[in-house]
């Protein structure tokens, strides 16, 4: 029943055009098979690592917004050492968090590549004391641990002399007015994407900066087909002017359920993508876990961002968040990984997920909820309730079931204090058959 409801829902949303995804050129049914691992992954780790960590300023935007001059920004090249960089330790930490994929900034809008690009342009390998390609070893360590490899790549390159604009109020030229120059830039960025594709064969490309030009100007179709020719299973995020596979809301947890087939919320642990000394606005493990459950409940993935220092060390607060998230994930794995989006709002006041076969409903209890919780409009019989990760059996009571009405009774479950989790308790409700919901207004309907 729920499956039918979900596919009907899918059909309806396909017919309606939505702002960000309205010009989507990819057919959901064609890409569905390759999206399987992504759909089950739920958690990815985003890493913004670049020369901006030297001063601890906004990645690329700081010179674009004139907080610092471009020459001063580029002086950070001299301070990027990667002296404590330990790609195996990074990959271990990511594995510990429970994440199934990781996305590293191979090149941000500032144009500095993390690999040894063959193009005549900035790279960590050629232009910094780190003197090496830092991408190759990281990807190798991820693959050893079965973690999917993602490549963030900025289409915008504000440091490239052939790029049209690099400060917020300046433009060197307009792409339409100097086709020769724009074509030079296009062949440059296409070559860099080819390098990434051929050398690293990422499982996922995470493009950024598409907003500065149209799909035709970016040759989005050529970018997409080039990547898929090399690897038909590569996943492409939605920042390619309509030629991506999934949507990428940023920094804000959706309040209502997004209407996309696949989506991923990217979010920072403090307030910034890259390392910034002054930013101490750390989200707590409890907050991250609650918003992660919220995202998964709405059918999305969380791409949680960390910003290593220039030397490659990861701030302690981020390490803690990843480890705590990891131990919570380990305990509650069955309620998160490989599940589907939960029941619609209104039945239970908290996040929920549903097992693939739709016969187990998982309830995520906010804060340190204990005592009685309540579910409305669940038509199923409950066979069994357990506290996930603990195995404690809980009892329930059906209240107010009126014999002549189709409306199910209210289900009350007793949650004793001794069964609550440090961060978020999860209950597994084994049902007699796939989830069946009463969606009416009460009474005779
Ligand atoms: C983009 C990047 O610009 C940012 O630096 C970071 O890498 C993030 C993951 O992706 O975020 C944006 C995108 C657009 C705007 C601001 C930040 N914008 O239009 O103002």
């Amino acid at each position: 029943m729920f499956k039918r409801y979900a596919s009907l829902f899918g059909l309806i949303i396909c017919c309606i055009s939505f702002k960000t995804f309205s010009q989507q050129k990819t057919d959901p049914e064609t890409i569905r098979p390759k999206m399987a691992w992504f759909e089950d992954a739920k958690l990815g780790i985003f890493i913004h690592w670049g020369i901006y960590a030297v001063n601890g300023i906004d990645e690329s935007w700081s010179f674009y917004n004139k907080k610092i001059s471009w020459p001063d920004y580029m002086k950070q090249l001299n301070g990027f050492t990667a002296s404590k960089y330990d790609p195996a330790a990074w990959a271990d930490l990511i594995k510990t968090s429970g994440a199934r994929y990781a996305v590293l900034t191979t090149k941000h809008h500032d144009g500095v590549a993390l690999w040894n690009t063959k193009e005549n342009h900035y790279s960590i390998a050629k232009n910094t004391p780190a003197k090496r390609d830092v991408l190759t070893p990281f990807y190798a360590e991820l693959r050893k641990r079965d973690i999917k490899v993602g490549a963030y790549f900025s289409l915008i390159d504000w440091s490239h002399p052939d790029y049209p604009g690099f400060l917020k109020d300046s433009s060197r030229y307009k792409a339409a007015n100097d086709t020769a120059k724009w074509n030079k830039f296009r062949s440059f960025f296409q070559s860099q994407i080819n390098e990434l594709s051929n050398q690293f064969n990422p499982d996922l490309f995470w493009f950024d900066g598409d907003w500065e030009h149209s799909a035709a100007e970016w040759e989005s179709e050529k970018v997409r087909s080039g990547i898929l020719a090399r690897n038909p299973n590569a996943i492409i995020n939605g920042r390619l002017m309509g030629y991506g596979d999934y949507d990428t809301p940023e920094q804000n947890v959706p309040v209502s359920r997004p209407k996309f087939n696949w989506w991923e919320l990217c979010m920072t642990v403090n307030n910034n993508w890259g390392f910034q000394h002054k930013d101490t606005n750390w989200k707590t493990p409890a907050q991250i876990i609650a918003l992660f459950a919220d995202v998964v409940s709405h059918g999305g993935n969380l791409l949680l961002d960390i910003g290593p220092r220039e030397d490659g060390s990861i701030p302690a607060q981020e390490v803690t968040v990843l480890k705590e998230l990891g131990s919570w994930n380990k305990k509650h794995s069955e309620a998160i990984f490989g599940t589907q989006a939960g029941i619609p709002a209104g039945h239970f006041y908290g996040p929920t997920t549903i097992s693939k076969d739709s016969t187990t409903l998982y309830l995520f209890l906010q804060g340190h909820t204990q005592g009685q919780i309540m579910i409305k409009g669940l038509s199923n019989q409950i066979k069994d309730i357990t506290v996930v990760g603990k195995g404690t059996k809980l009892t329930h009571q059906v209240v107010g079931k009126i014999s002549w009405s189709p409306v199910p009774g209210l289900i009350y479950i007793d949650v004793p204090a001794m069964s609550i989790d440090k961060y978020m308790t999860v209950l597994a409700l084994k049902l007699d058959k796939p989830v069946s919901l009463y969606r009416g207004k009460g009474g005779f309907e």
Side-chain angles (χ1 to χ4, degrees):
M1 152 74 188
F2 189 76
K3 278 223 166 110
R4 202 182 317 149
Y5 173 80
S7 59
L8 184 69
F9 189 62
L11 190 72
I12 295 166
I13 56 168
C14 288
C15 304
I16 307 172
S17 44
F18 290 90
K19 202 170 158 256
T20 45
F21 243 34
S22 56
Q23 325 98 315
Q24 204 54 29
K25 305 292 189 293
T26 47
D27 167 35
E29 292 322 309
T30 312
I31 66 171
R32 194 173 294 282
K34 78 166 183 184
M35 298 305 288
W37 73 257
F38 182 82
E39 193 170 311
D40 288 344
K42 311 301 184 193
L43 181 66
I45 301 298
F46 210 174
I47 305 170
H48 276 68
W49 197 30
I51 62 168
Y52 36 86
V54 173
N55 291 5
I57 52 175
D58 296 346
E59 68 290 346
S60 313
W61 291 97
S62 51
F63 70 84
Y64 180 86
N65 289 325
K66 300 184 182 174
K67 286 187 188 168
I68 185 173
S69 70
W70 182 80
D72 281 345
Y73 180 94
M74 295 310 276
K75 279 185 194 147
Q76 295 178 102
L77 285 166
N78 305 322
F80 191 91
T81 64
S83 58
K84 294 182 187 157
Y85 178 43
D86 184 347
W90 279 23
D92 278 341
L93 180 64
I94 291 164
K95 189 78 184 175
T96 304
S97 76
R100 306 284 169 96
Y101 63 110
V103 181
L104 178 59
T105 47
T106 66
K107 187 181 89 164
H108 206 263
H109 316 327
D110 62 12
V112 183
L114 258 60
W115 82 102
N116 193 5
T117 177
K118 293 185 195 81
E119 291 298 305
N120 181 22
H121 199 42
Y122 298 99
S123 78
I124 293 298
K126 282 192 292 258
N127 307 102
T128 74
K131 277 203 184 110
R132 62 191 190 279
D133 158 14
V134 291
L135 202 54
T136 304
F138 179 55
Y139 282 177
E141 295 298 337
L142 291 177
R143 288 197 159 115
K144 273 188 212 163
R145 292 163 182 78
D146 266 334
I147 302 167
K148 299 277 186 194
V149 161
Y152 167 107
F153 180 84
S154 170
L155 297 161
I156 292 174
D157 191 324
W158 289 325
S159 293
H160 198 284
D162 293 329
Y163 192 74
F166 78 116
L167 296 176
K168 62 177 173 185
D169 50 5
S170 78
S171 87
R172 296 182 178 119
Y173 71 98
K174 292 229 175 315
N177 296 344
D178 192 339
T179 348
K181 202 164 190 162
W182 178 244
N183 279 341
K184 260 177 80 185
F185 180 76
R186 287 209 286 209
S187 77
F188 155 76
F189 89 76
Q190 292 278 11
S191 300
Q192 282 202 322
I193 295 171
N194 284 338
E195 282 184 25
L196 286 174
S197 181
N198 291 326
Q199 274 184 51
F200 304 104
N201 192 20
D203 301 297
L204 188 153
F205 273 88
W206 213 101
F207 288 108
D208 200 13
D210 66 342
W211 61 84
E212 288 204 353
H213 296 278
S214 66
E217 284 174 330
W218 287 126
E219 301 176 310
S220 296
E221 202 167 356
K222 183 173 162 191
V223 171
R224 183 177 176 87
S225 59
I227 289 169
L228 297 182
R230 171 73 178 79
N231 176 3
N233 291 322
I235 293 178
I236 300 170
N237 78 332
R239 298 190 183 184
L240 196 56
M241 282 292 167
Y243 287 82
D245 299 319
Y246 70 88
D247 195 44
T248 57
E250 182 171 319
Q251 289 290 34
N252 300 299
V253 184
V255 175
S256 57
R257 189 168 296 184
K259 309 285 193 284
F260 313 111
N261 285 296
W262 298 279
W263 61 276
E264 170 202 71
L265 170 71
C266 53
M267 184 172 255
T268 51
V269 178
N270 54 1
N271 283 351
N272 287 283
W273 298 102
F275 174 72
Q276 299 209 12
H277 315 73
K278 287 191 202 130
D279 184 353
T280 54
N281 223 337
W282 302 105
K283 296 176 186 78
T284 64
Q287 289 164 346
I288 297 276
I289 287 165
L291 68 88
F292 175 49
D294 197 5
V295 165
V296 175
S297 168
H298 285 314
N301 288 359
L302 175 67
L303 184 62
L304 184 63
D305 180 78
I306 57 172
R309 297 186 188 86
E310 62 72 25
D311 62 8
S313 60
I314 299 172
Q317 292 85 347
E318 289 172 345
V319 172
T320 303
V321 162
L322 264 58
K323 285 187 173 164
E324 293 298 288
L325 177 58
S327 57
W328 184 85
N329 271 333
K330 206 168 174 186
K331 182 175 168 192
H332 302 98
S333 169
E334 64 160 287
I336 294 282
F337 301 101
T339 62
Q340 48 178 326
I343 55 179
H347 297 273
F348 173 69
Y349 290 95
T352 61
T353 58
I354 304 171
S355 62
K356 279 263 167 80
D357 69 0
S358 299
T359 63
T360 305
L361 174 64
Y362 296 100
L363 307 181
F364 294 73
L365 311 187
Q366 305 278 7
H368 291 140
T369 301
Q370 54 172 292
Q372 287 206 318
I373 60 156
M374 191 265 279
I375 310 163
K376 284 189 285 188
L378 181 66
S379 304
N380 299 79
Q381 299 290 319
I382 297 174
K383 292 205 298 197
D384 173 61
I385 303 173
T386 48
V387 180
V388 176
K390 254 179 124 55
T392 318
K393 301 277 177 205
L394 301 186
T395 56
H396 74 285
Q397 219 192 333
V398 180
V399 173
K401 173 72 190 107
I402 307 300
S403 61
W404 46 260
S405 165
V407 184
L410 305 174
I411 297 163
Y412 281 91
I413 303 172
D414 281 313
V415 182
M418 56 174 285
S419 59
I420 64 172
D421 183 80
K422 186 165 140 197
Y423 295 122
M424 204 172 207
T425 314
V426 186
L427 307 184
L429 276 59
K430 292 250 172 318
L431 309 173
D432 57 339
K433 56 184 172 60
V435 179
S436 168
L437 299 173
Y438 166 77
R439 302 282 294 153
K441 296 190 181 71
F444 296 98
E445 297 168 51

